[in-house]
Amino acid sequence: MNLDNFKSAWNAENTDDVQIPRQLQQLRKAQHPLEGLKRNMRLETYVQSVAIIILGFSPQIFHIHPSLYMIYYVAYVMLVVFSGYYFFGFRQFYQQISNYGAGTKDGLMEIYFELRLNIERYHSFGFLLLPFALVWIGVLIQSRNLAQGKSMMTIAVGDQFTLVIWVLIMTLLIVVAIQVWTNFYYGKYVKQLKTVLDELKEEN
């Protein structure tokens, strides 16, 4: 059979009854949430990196009293170390998603559980920011007091109580914000992957 005859025979084949296995279709369906997840992770990496750089210049931007620089930058260095550790795990998870080729259910399930684990790591990282946020509030308040010739010890008892209340409120807001943010930004992908895995489970 020459090449033209072979081509004619190939074109004459009825391909209408060729169907992609449903399990493979379900695995490919997972690509959409994974692509969205990767896009969000890239954006967040850029935003957080820029935020950390800006925080490095915050004492100059907000005209913090020079005597408080040491306290601020000790807390800042700890923030950078924690962030570096978090970004390292974040990048490893991103590479895992990038290497997934819609091949196996086990691979998708591993990504699903890793995503849930990374969300918990995200929460932990967010909670580690609390001490830095409190140090920043303290430095800002003390800087203003020094500019007015006051100190923390000269603040009235009523004002100290108000300060404690504000610290508690801010702590609660940060904790709630972290939970809401992760649920809004990553929670939908957890649900989508869980749906695909449940459909694959029903096929078996």
Side-chain angles (χ1 to χ4, degrees), residues 85-144:
Y85 175 77
Y86 168 74
F87 282 140
F88 177 74
F90 201 67
R91 179 171 176 78
Q92 283 188 318
F93 180 54
Y94 181 86
Q95 290 176 335
Q96 182 182 0
I97 297 173
S98 299
N99 293 332
Y100 176 75
T104 64
K105 174 186 174 182
D106 290 340
L108 183 62
M109 185 174 294
E110 183 177 352
I111 288 178
Y112 169 73
F113 285 113
E114 282 294 325
L115 174 57
R116 293 185 60 182
L117 179 61
N118 272 272
I119 288 176
E120 292 305 316
R121 287 175 182 164
Y122 192 104
H123 290 162
S124 300
F125 173 68
F127 299 148
L128 286 173
L129 296 180
L130 279 173
F132 177 78
L134 296 178
V135 168
W136 171 239
I137 293 172
V139 165
L140 193 61
I141 292 174
Q142 180 64 2
S143 179
R144 290 180 178 178

Side-chain angles (χ1 to χ4, degrees), residues 1-11:
M1 179 181 292
N2 59 32
L3 184 59
D4 291 335
N5 292 335
F6 179 78
K7 184 178 179 180
S8 298
W10 177 268
N11 291 333

Side-chain angles (χ1 to χ4, degrees), residues 5 29 31 38 52 62 70-72 78 86 94 108 110 140 143 152 160:
N5 292 335
K29 184 179 177 181
Q31 287 298 109
K38 285 166 56 179
I52 289 174
F62 292 94
M70 181 62 71
I71 296 174
Y72 177 85
M78 293 178 64
Y86 168 74
Y94 181 86
L108 183 62
E110 183 177 352
L140 193 61
S143 179
M152 294 292 285
Q160 291 178 7

